[in-house]
Each structure stands twice: as structure tokens, then as C-alpha cells.
């Protein structure tokens, strides 16, 4: 054996450990670039720890990998396989950054919400691109790994200097995904409480990402449901076990063309005008509320985006969350349009209870997969399919003043036929007075509403006219007007594939559009026929497995589950 070490085929000769190369190694530039990116990642780790431990771990891992990379190169330990690993790892780091700036990470302060591009992360990406390019050069042309002395050294110094500049810049001090959590001074009062809630909440899986995205854009309160605590240290509803629903709703923050440009540049459109008109009418009657759902489904994406902007900028979001009924609570879909406010839950035990209750509700709903199953169990069709709230099958013997998750008074279906598929549950309680009932799911997020003055058939009891049907018209149809003031209803959109983008307990769901009613009985259910699945980035509806199991057998299984 000679003193020349045997190299792997395809790799450039490298000095023996401890020996310096004849000339400065081109890898010195790679080491400087990698160390610069690593310093930035390590410096940003504590800031990201306030959003999610996954982010902090990811930043720390990337930072240490890049610092170790620099050390290996400077120790003359780098080879072709090593540079391939370095290039691949930095591609992964950049890919994660692109994902967070386009689709949003699935964890953190605002899961599924894209983060803004900042100066510090842009510099870090540029350094990583440099690492990839130099690594590729060393992989492709290993025989040219040695170059003049000055260039690689200057590149390394420049990279480290750039990293130092950005981590000491105001952008680094304020860096926090563009959110309010990054404050120059230690947050106090409500700001400190908000950060604490975001860090400790355990309820983020109860709603789909589409809800979180629209709620954030529209400024809908998802921390304390429009009831911010008067004293920072005493947020009574923060863990969410009560159903007090106290305090008055606050208006959504307004926007301007400066802070959030109008998608239609202030010129409007006939489509937007229709949505604006239908929104104003939606609280007047159940029929008008259904028209809004249908119009939203048929709207172009540009008009829909403009409608969201209009909702926010005009302050037209009306979410009544007080302990007494609102003026619009007896008609329409409970007076709600868009994502409902949400009271964050931070007590893991209560979150576990809510998760178990939702699972029980979902299992209960799937006990009656078709309207035929509901009919066989003693339910009868009382309201035909209405966009936003579906078709209601009711079991009168269950109606009382008690809330029981596995004994829903109504089951909701995607059409009027016996082959219609289940989409959710509706609970109905007798409760006198204008104060809402306190019973419900664990947490402070399921809100009851009423339908006052519906016209029901004198012979079948089915609803044959909405709350705005006149007494004369109702009588002419063979019906009578119902008071309805003692009947409080709440929904639970728990069927897989039919989750509501307006909230799991929302009074109406935009997924239940006219297209869904038209496709009833023609697919495997799970709201596959809805025309807005792509709009809300919903996954493909799951196919119902073929089974010989009858509804009775399924119900027998469900009977073993307690409330």
C-alpha cells in the first residue's frame, strides 16, 4: 500500500485526516454558507418555541445539522456521499419553508394558514440554495474541488456576516409568523393571555382547516368567542365547560384597501351584489337563508373571495353569542353567516371529553346511514331538504327537556328519499323563555337557536312553510302556524366528509348546497355530491364500505355505547 489513500470510485482525492489540502478547499464556501444558515435556525428556535414544540424542534435540528456540516467540511471529512446528503437535507429544509409560506404548516399558532415571507427567512433560504449549488459542484466535479485561496474564504466570511446582520435586525426581533405573538416588549394583559391560550389549547382538531382559515381571515374570535375576559387573569370560559354564553358580541375588525386589497378593486360585480343582497336577507327566513347557501355555491371563486372581503370590511358578520336570543334568532339559520366564534379549550381533560362526545355523536349518526334506517327506528320526515340544514327526520318520543348525545331528536339527510345519506345530527329541547338552554356538549361552543312561526301540516306535522309564511297562506296549504318559542335546536356536523367549514356546531353548513341535494342517493354519501368541496380544500369523500350488516345490527352495536 502506498501513502496515498484509496478513494471510492468517482470521488476526488482527499487528504488524510489531520492533513491540510494543498489549496483552500471549495468546501470552505459550503461550510460558511451552511454555518450561516445554521446560526439563523438556532437563533430562531426560542421564538418558534412559543408557537409549537414541533417548530422549535425542527429549527433546532436543521440548525445543528448545518453547523455539523460546516465542522465536517473544515475537518476534511467530506466525501461525495456526504455532499449528496447535505444537498438533499437542504432541499428538504427549503421545501418545508415553501410549504409554510403557501399552504401553512399543520401545527403552530394558526395551523393550515400560510405565513408571510420575511427578510430573515429569505436570507436563510438564499444561504441554503448556495449550500446546494456548491454541494452539487463538488459532487459533479470533485476533481476541481481546490481553487484559489481568497474566494472560498471570502464567501464563508460573507455568509457568516450576513447571518449575523439578519439575526440582529428588527425583523428577527419581531419575527413570529406575521402574528401578534412577536412583541418587542414582554406582552402583558390580554396579549399575554392570548399567547398562553394559543400555546395551551387542545381543541384544534375539532374543526377542519377551512374553518380556521376563514375564521382567521374574517377576524372571527376563536380564542374566547367574542367574550374577551375583562381581567387578564380571570377568563372564566377559557377551559370551556360551561354554557353561560354571556356578553355581547363584538364586531369583526374592518379592513381597508390599504391593509387588505379588495379582490374586485372596488368595482364590484353582479355576482357580488347578489351575494350581498342574499346575505342581508338570510336572517329573515329559512327560505332566504337557503337561497344564500345556494348562491354561495354557484358563485365564482373571484366573487366568493370578494364576498369574504365584503363581510370583513363592512362589519356584516353577525354572530350572536349572548345568553338571550337575538332579534334574528327565530328565523333563518339562527342568525349566523360564516364561521361561528369559538371559545378556546385549554384543559386537556375537557378536550378529551369533547373528543369522546363527538366520536359518540359520529357513531350515533352512522347508526342510521340512510333515511330508511331512520324510518325503521321510528323517525319520520318533518322537513324536506333545505340547503344549509339538509332534510330533518324527527322522533317525537325523544323530545323533552334533556340533552342526550346518543339520542338525537332529529337526524339530518342529504335528500328526501329513503336512500338519502346521513350528514349530521340535530338536538331539540323544550325550554321556556328567551334564555338559551345550558345543556350540550362539553365546552362553550354549541349554541341553540329557534325557528319561530313555522307552518306545519295539520295532518302529517311536516313543515310546509317557513317562518315568514303568512297565517292565511299557511291555512290555505292545510297547515297552522307554530309558536316554536320553546323549541331550541342545535346541530352537530359530525359525519366524515360532511364537516362544516363554518364550525362543527354551526347553525348551517355551506357544504349542504343544492348540488348535494340533487345527487342524493346516487353516491356513497359523506357529502360527495357537494359542489364546494374544492373551495374548502376538503378531502375526497370516503366511500362507504359495502357490507351485509343491516341497520338493526349496527344499532345493536351502538346501544353498547353510553352517553
Amino acid at each position: 500500500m502506498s501513502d496515498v489513500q484509496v478513494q471510492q470510485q468517482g470521488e476526488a482525492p482527499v487528504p488524510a485526516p489531520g492533513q491540510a489540502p494543498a489549496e483552500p478547499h471549495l468546501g470552505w464556501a459550503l461550510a460558511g454558507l451552511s454555518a450561516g444558515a445554521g446560526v439563523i435556525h438556532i437563533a430562531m428556535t426560542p421564538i418558534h418555541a412559543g408557537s409549537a414544540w414541533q417548530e422549535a424542534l425542527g429549527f433546532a435540528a436543521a440548525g445543528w445539522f448545518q453547523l455539523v456540516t460546516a465542522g465536517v467540511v473544515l475537518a476534511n471529512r467530506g466525501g461525495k456521499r456526504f455532499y449528496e446528503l447535505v444537498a438533499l437535507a437542504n432541499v428538504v429544509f427549503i421545501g418545508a419553508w415553501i410549504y409554510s409560506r403557501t399552504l401553512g404548516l399543520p401545527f403552530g399558532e394558526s395551523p393550515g394558514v400560510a405565513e408571510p415571507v420575511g427578510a430573515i427567512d429569505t436570507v436563510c433560504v438564499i444561504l441554503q440554495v448556495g449550500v446546494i449549488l456548491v454541494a452539487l459542484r463538488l459532487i459533479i466535479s470533485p476533481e476541481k474541488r481546490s481553487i484559489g485561496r481568497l474566494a472560498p474564504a471570502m464567501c464563508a466570511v460573507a455568509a457568516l456576516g450576513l447571518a449575523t446582520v439578519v439575526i440582529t435586525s428588527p425583523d428577527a426581533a419581531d419575527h413570529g409568523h406575521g402574528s401578534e405573538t412577536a412583541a418587542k416588549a414582554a406582552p402583558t394583559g390580554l396579549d399575554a393571555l392570548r399567547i398562553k391560550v394559543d400555546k395551551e389549547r387542545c381543541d384544534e382538531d375539532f374543526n377542519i382547516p377551512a374553518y380556521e382559515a376563514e375564521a382567521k381571515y374574517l377576524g372571527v374570535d376563536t380564542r374566547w368567542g367574542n367574550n374577551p375576559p375583562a381581567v387578564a387573569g380571570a377568563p372564566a370560559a377559557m377551559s370551556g365547560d360551561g354554557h353561560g354564553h354571556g356578553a355581547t358580541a363584538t364586531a369583526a375588525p374592518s379592513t381597508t384597501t390599504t391593509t387588505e386589497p379588495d379582490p374586485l378593486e372596488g368595482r364590484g360585480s353582479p355576482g357580488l351584489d347578489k351575494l350581498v343582497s342574499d346575505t342581508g336577507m338570510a336572517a329573515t327566513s329559512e327560505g332566504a337563508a337557503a337561497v344564500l347557501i345556494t348562491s354561495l355555491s354557484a358563485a365564482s371563486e373571484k366573487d366568493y373571495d370578494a364576498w369574504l372581503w365584503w363581510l370583513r370590511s363592512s362589519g356584516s358578520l353577525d354572530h350572536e353569542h349572548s345568553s338571550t336570543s337575538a332579534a334574528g334568532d327565530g328565523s333563518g339559520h339562527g342568525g349566523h353567516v360564516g364561521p361561528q366564534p369559538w371559545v378556546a379549550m385549554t384543559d386537556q381533560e375537557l378536550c378529551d371529553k369533547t373528543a369522546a362526545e363527538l366520536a359518540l355523536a359520529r357513531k350515533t349518526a352512522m347508526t342510521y346511514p340512510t333515511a330508511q334506517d331512520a324510518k325503521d327506528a321510528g323517525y319520520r320526515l318533518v322537513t324536506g331538504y333545505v340547503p344549509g340544514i339538509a332534510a330533518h327526520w324527527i322522533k317525537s318520543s325523544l323530545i323533552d327537556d334533556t340533552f342526550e348525545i346518543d339520542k338525537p331528536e332529529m337526524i339530518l339527510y342529504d335528500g328526501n328519499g329513503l336512500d338519502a345519506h346521513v350528514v349530521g345530527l340535530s338536538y331539540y329541547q323544550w325550554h321556556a323563555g328567551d334564555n338559551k338552554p345550558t345543556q350540550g356538549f362539553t365546552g362553550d361552543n354549541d349554541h341553540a337557536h329557534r325557528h319561530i312561526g313555522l307552518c306545519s301540516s295539520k295532518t302529517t306535522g311536516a313543515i310546509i312553510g317557513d317562518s315568514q309564511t303568512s297565517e292565511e297562506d299557511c291555512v290555505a296549504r292545510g297547515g297552522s302556524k307554530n309558536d316554536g318559542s320553546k323549541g331550541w335546536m342545535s346541530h352537530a356536523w359530525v359525519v366524515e366528509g360532511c364537516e362544516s367549514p363554518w364550525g362543527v356546531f354551526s347553525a348551517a353548513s355551506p357544504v349542504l348546497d343544492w348540488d348535494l341535494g340533487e345527487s342524493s342517493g346516487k353516491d356513497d354519501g359523506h357529502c360527495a355530491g357537494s359542489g364546494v368541496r374544492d373551495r374548502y380544500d376538503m378531502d375526497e369523500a370516503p366511500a362507504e364500505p359495502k357490507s351485509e350488516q343491516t341497520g338493526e345490527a349496527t344499532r345493536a352495536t351502538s346501544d353498547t355505547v353510553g352517553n
Side-chain angles (χ1 to χ4, degrees), residues 261-512:
D262 179 356
L264 297 180
E265 300 177 343
R267 296 179 60 85
S269 72
L272 176 59
D273 280 344
K274 177 167 176 53
L275 295 179
V276 169
S277 175
D278 291 344
T279 301
M281 298 297 295
T284 64
S285 72
E286 293 78 10
V291 168
L292 173 61
I293 298 296
T294 301
S295 296
L296 290 174
S297 175
S300 68
E301 292 307 307
K302 192 169 186 178
D303 282 339
Y304 182 81
D305 290 342
W307 176 74
L308 290 177
W309 185 91
W310 173 82
L311 276 181
R312 179 175 178 177
S313 61
S314 66
S316 296
L317 286 169
D318 181 17
H319 292 288
E320 187 278 320
H321 268 211
S322 70
S323 60
T324 58
S325 64
D329 199 39
S331 58
H333 292 156
H336 293 273
V337 172
Q340 70 164 38
W342 186 270
V343 178
M345 301 175 68
T346 58
D347 187 316
Q348 187 61 55
E349 181 179 352
L350 298 181
C351 281
D352 292 342
K353 287 183 179 180
T354 304
E357 291 168 356
L358 290 172
L360 175 58
R362 184 175 300 110
K363 186 168 186 176
T364 300
M366 296 314 300
T367 302
Y368 313 97
T370 68
Q372 180 65 61
D373 297 303
K375 181 180 179 181
D376 293 342
Y379 289 83
R380 61 182 176 83
L381 180 65
V382 66
T383 302
Y385 183 81
V386 177
I389 58 174
H392 289 56
W393 284 70
I394 193 169
K395 191 171 185 178
S396 300
S397 62
L398 294 177
I399 300 177
D400 53 25
D401 59 359
T402 303
F403 176 88
E404 297 177 273
I405 294 175
D406 59 348
K407 295 179 181 179
E409 289 77 7
M410 285 178 273
I411 307 175
L412 312 179
Y413 290 90
D414 63 11
N416 301 329
L418 294 177
D419 56 355
H421 289 90
V422 65
V423 299
L425 301 176
S426 185
Y427 298 94
Y428 194 77
Q429 299 177 59
W430 292 129
H431 182 75
D434 287 336
N435 290 324
K436 295 180 181 180
T438 62
Q439 299 177 72
F441 286 83
T442 296
D444 199 22
N445 295 302
D446 54 324
H447 298 272
H449 61 275
R450 298 177 293 185
H451 294 273
I452 299 175
L454 295 174
C455 176
S456 60
S457 170
K458 292 181 179 180
T459 56
T460 66
I463 303 301
I464 56 177
D466 67 17
S467 57
Q468 292 303 302
T469 304
S470 67
E471 185 75 39
E472 293 76 16
D473 285 346
C474 183
V475 172
R477 299 177 189 182
S480 60
K481 295 277 283 184
N482 295 328
D483 177 14
S485 62
K486 295 182 180 180
W488 293 85
M489 179 185 298
S490 60
H491 296 152
W493 308 109
V494 291
V495 173
E496 186 180 6
C498 298
E499 298 90 346
S500 172
W502 289 355
V504 64
F505 301 121
S506 60
S509 169
V511 172
L512 308 179

Side-chain angles (χ1 to χ4, degrees), residues 515-546:
D515 290 346
L516 180 62
E518 289 290 291
S519 67
S520 179
K522 301 176 184 177
D523 51 39
D524 291 328
H526 296 278
C527 295
S530 174
V532 295
R533 300 189 67 85
D534 290 341
R535 169 177 292 165
Y536 296 110
D537 293 325
M538 300 178 73
D539 295 332
E540 183 177 351
E544 192 67 22
K546 303 301 180 182

Side-chain angles (χ1 to χ4, degrees), residues 208-293:
I208 60 176
Y211 167 83
E212 302 291 346
E214 285 204 357
K216 182 179 180 65
Y217 176 80
L218 292 171
V220 173
D221 183 6
T222 60
R223 292 188 178 96
W224 27 73
N226 283 345
N227 295 324
V231 179
M238 208 47 47
S239 64
D241 193 27
H243 284 75
H245 306 285
T248 303
T250 56
S254 61
T255 57
T256 67
T257 55
T258 301
T259 60
E260 189 73 42
D262 179 356
L264 297 180
E265 300 177 343
R267 296 179 60 85
S269 72
L272 176 59
D273 280 344
K274 177 167 176 53
L275 295 179
V276 169
S277 175
D278 291 344
T279 301
M281 298 297 295
T284 64
S285 72
E286 293 78 10
V291 168
L292 173 61
I293 298 296

